């Protein structure tokens, strides 16, 4: 097990009707805030009215900025920074899923960074402070409600890049599973994929003697695998939605990565796919992670066999670990296709193969991706070909 520091300051406020507490929570930090949200679904569901009422009752003034898209855009982040400076705002409330939260974090970072916020995402600057961010989560998937990360897409070149700072972890996250009842089946499915991939990016590691986080990771994956199809069949099942929502937070708040080297190659490759083609992040991961597995599994047959046995209940063949490992990969792919009804090839995602070279180049222009196996441009190109 490696040395580590683990910080998880986000106050989780979980359960029914918890969104009604947002005013009293925000008031602890500011009397004037930026209310940040997506394409307007919170107004259709009535959540916006509840939030506005709670904020007003607490005496919190708010300025609105909606319009966050999936794969959130740098241009809207810059607009948010301008608004916050003009209105003298010192708190950002994100109401939505991972894209809204990531955009809110970027605004919070840009407000305290002296240069252009994109410099942070290019690795050309260092973030030392940021505005506090609060969250009302409506789409369990990205885990951004308690993570240190923010991913933004720059329309100039369609680069999709991430930053990770503990100071970007939200100060609170309000999580009411009831708010996920009306999610389209596709959002529920790709959200489950995103969660699973967050765990697997940590699970496939070269670090030895990490039994606790191995077992926690396996339990988290099994919980997601079991409950996601149930949510598709019965979207108003509170208990199922609650399991999924909490699993999404645990999958990406950093706990499952403590003491172990993490990978993240597949995320880096997928960012190039969704950066150019604007596909849902989880949908891209459903295609690319099995392809990555097929490319690297021989690096550690024991770990892939353990994954197959402990996560997918594959009967171990101790005389043929490769057969066991491949069956685990097969069951993941089959689960995505049959249980979650998702595409499992780039062709099904309507991603052509004419820009593979560009994506491989952009993914590795700052060096090889991944840690489980270091992947260079040619490796990334081969994985994209396996996924087509």
């Amino acid at each position: 097990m490696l040395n580590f520091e683990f910080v998880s300051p986000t106050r989780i406020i979980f359960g029914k009707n918890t969104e009604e507490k947002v005013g009293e929570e925000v008031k602890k930090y500011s009397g004037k805030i930026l209310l940040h949200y997506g394409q307007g679904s919170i107004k259709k569901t009535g959540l916006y009215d509840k939030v506005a009422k709670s904020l007003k009752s607490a005496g919190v003034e708010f300025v609105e900025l909606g319009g966050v898209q999936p794969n959130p855009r740098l241009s809207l982040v810059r607009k948010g920074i301008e608004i916050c400076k003009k209105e003298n705002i010192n708190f950002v409330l994100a109401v939505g899923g991972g894209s809204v939260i990531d955009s809110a974090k970027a605004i919070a970072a840009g407000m305290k960074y002296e240069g252009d916020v994109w410099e942070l995402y290019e690795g050309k600057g260092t973030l030392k402070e940021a505005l506090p961010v609060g969250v009302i989560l409506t789409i369990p998937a990205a885990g951004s409600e308690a993570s240190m990360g923010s991913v933004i897409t720059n329309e100039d070149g369609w680069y999709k890049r991430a930053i990770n700072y503990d100071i970007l972890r939200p100060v609170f996250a309000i999580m009411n599973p009831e708010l996920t009842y009306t999610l389209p089946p596709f959002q529920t499915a790709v959200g489950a994929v995103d969660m699973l991939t967050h765990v697997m990016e940590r699970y496939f590691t070269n670090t030895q003697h990490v039994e606790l986080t191995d077992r926690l990771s396996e339990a988290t994956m099994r919980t997601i695998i079991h409950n996601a199809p149930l949510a598709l069949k019965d979207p108003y099942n509170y208990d199922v939605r609650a399991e999924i929502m909490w699993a999404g937070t645990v999958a990406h708040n950093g706990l499952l990565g403590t003491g172990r080297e993490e990978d993240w190659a597949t995320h880096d490759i997928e960012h190039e796919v969704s950066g150019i083609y604007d596909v849902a992040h989880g949908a891209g991961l459903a295609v690319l992670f099995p392809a990555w597995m097929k490319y690297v599994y021989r690096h550690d047959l024991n770990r892939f066999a353990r994954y197959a046995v402990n996560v997918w209940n594959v009967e171990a063949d101790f005389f043929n670990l490769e057969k066991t490992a491949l069956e685990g990969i097969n069951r993941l792919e089959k689960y995505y296709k049959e249980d979650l009804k998702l595409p499992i090839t780039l062709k099904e995602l309507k991603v052509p193969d004419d820009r593979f070279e560009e994506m491989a180049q952009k993914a590795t222009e700052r060096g090889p991706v991944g840690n489980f196996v270091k992947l260079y441009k040619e490796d990334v190109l081969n994985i994209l070909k396996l996924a087509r």
Side-chain angles (χ1 to χ4, degrees), residues 59-359:
V60 176
E61 183 182 353
F62 60 90
V63 178
E64 295 182 33
L65 179 60
V68 180
Q69 302 176 52
N71 302 309
R73 307 295 200 257
L74 177 62
S75 58
L76 191 68
V77 169
R78 286 175 172 154
K79 183 178 179 180
I81 294 168
E82 289 177 9
I83 291 172
C84 288
K85 289 180 177 178
K86 179 182 177 181
E87 299 288 342
N88 196 27
I89 286 168
N90 55 16
F91 186 94
V92 185
L93 176 64
V95 183
S99 294
V100 174
I101 303 167
D102 281 6
S103 183
K105 289 176 178 178
I107 293 169
M111 274 293 291
K112 292 292 186 177
Y113 181 67
E114 291 185 0
D116 180 71
V117 67
W118 185 247
E119 293 174 6
L120 296 170
Y121 291 84
E122 289 185 305
K124 296 178 180 178
T126 301
L127 186 65
K128 296 179 180 178
E129 58 179 330
L131 295 185
V133 174
V135 172
I136 298 178
L137 184 65
T138 63
I139 305 176
S144 191
E145 66 275 3
S147 81
M148 64 170 70
S150 167
V151 182
I152 296 296
T153 298
N154 187 343
E155 301 98 312
D156 183 8
W158 296 105
Y159 282 89
K160 187 175 178 181
R161 295 290 180 260
I163 56 174
N164 290 280
Y165 292 95
D166 277 320
I167 55 175
L168 290 179
R169 292 183 189 268
V171 293
F172 68 79
I174 291 173
M175 300 170 58
N176 177 4
E178 294 171 312
L179 300 180
T180 69
Y181 286 169
T182 56
L183 282 178
F186 179 75
Q187 287 287 351
T188 297
V190 297
V193 175
D194 201 1
M195 297 175 202
L196 280 173
T197 310
H198 286 156
V199 183
M200 293 188 292
E201 295 278 25
R202 296 170 167 98
Y203 185 80
F204 291 101
T205 182
N206 294 312
T207 309
Q208 300 297 309
H209 306 295
V210 282
E211 180 182 355
L212 176 60
T213 44
D214 273 347
R215 292 182 182 276
L216 290 172
S217 296
E218 289 159 1
T220 305
M221 286 187 279
R222 289 177 68 96
T223 298
I224 297 163
I225 289 164
H226 174 71
N227 284 282
L230 298 179
L232 293 175
K233 293 176 183 176
D234 184 7
Y236 292 88
N237 186 320
Y238 178 86
D239 294 323
V240 166
R241 290 291 194 180
E243 295 284 0
I244 293 171
M245 182 172 259
W246 185 225
T249 302
V250 172
H252 200 42
N253 72 349
L255 174 65
L256 302 184
T258 50
R260 59 199 296 146
E261 180 184 65
E262 302 178 13
D263 189 62
W264 299 103
T266 309
H267 264 71
D268 286 338
I269 298 169
E270 196 289 324
H271 285 169
E272 303 309 330
V273 175
S274 55
I276 294 173
Y277 294 101
D278 211 24
V279 301
H281 179 53
L285 291 172
V287 171
L288 290 168
F289 207 88
W292 173 85
M293 290 172 133
K294 293 170 189 175
Y295 193 74
V296 305
Y297 75 91
R298 289 189 181 93
H299 174 72
D300 190 343
L301 278 176
N302 284 313
R303 178 147 290 273
F304 271 88
R306 173 181 176 140
Y307 167 79
V309 172
N310 290 358
V311 177
W312 293 104
N313 296 323
V314 174
E315 186 174 346
D317 186 338
F318 296 106
F319 297 102
N320 192 342
L321 284 181
E322 184 168 12
K323 178 182 177 182
T324 305
L326 287 172
E327 180 58 22
I329 299 170
N330 177 61
R331 291 198 188 182
L332 174 67
E333 206 165 37
K334 184 178 179 182
Y335 175 79
Y336 287 160
K337 182 177 182 178
E338 297 183 3
D339 293 86
L340 300 187
K341 312 298 182 187
L342 292 173
I344 58 170
T345 66
L346 290 174
K347 183 178 180 180
E348 289 177 282
L349 268 186
K350 296 182 171 47
V351 173
D353 59 10
D354 59 340
R355 297 180 74 174
F356 281 6
E357 184 84 16
E358 176 189 348
M359 289 188 281

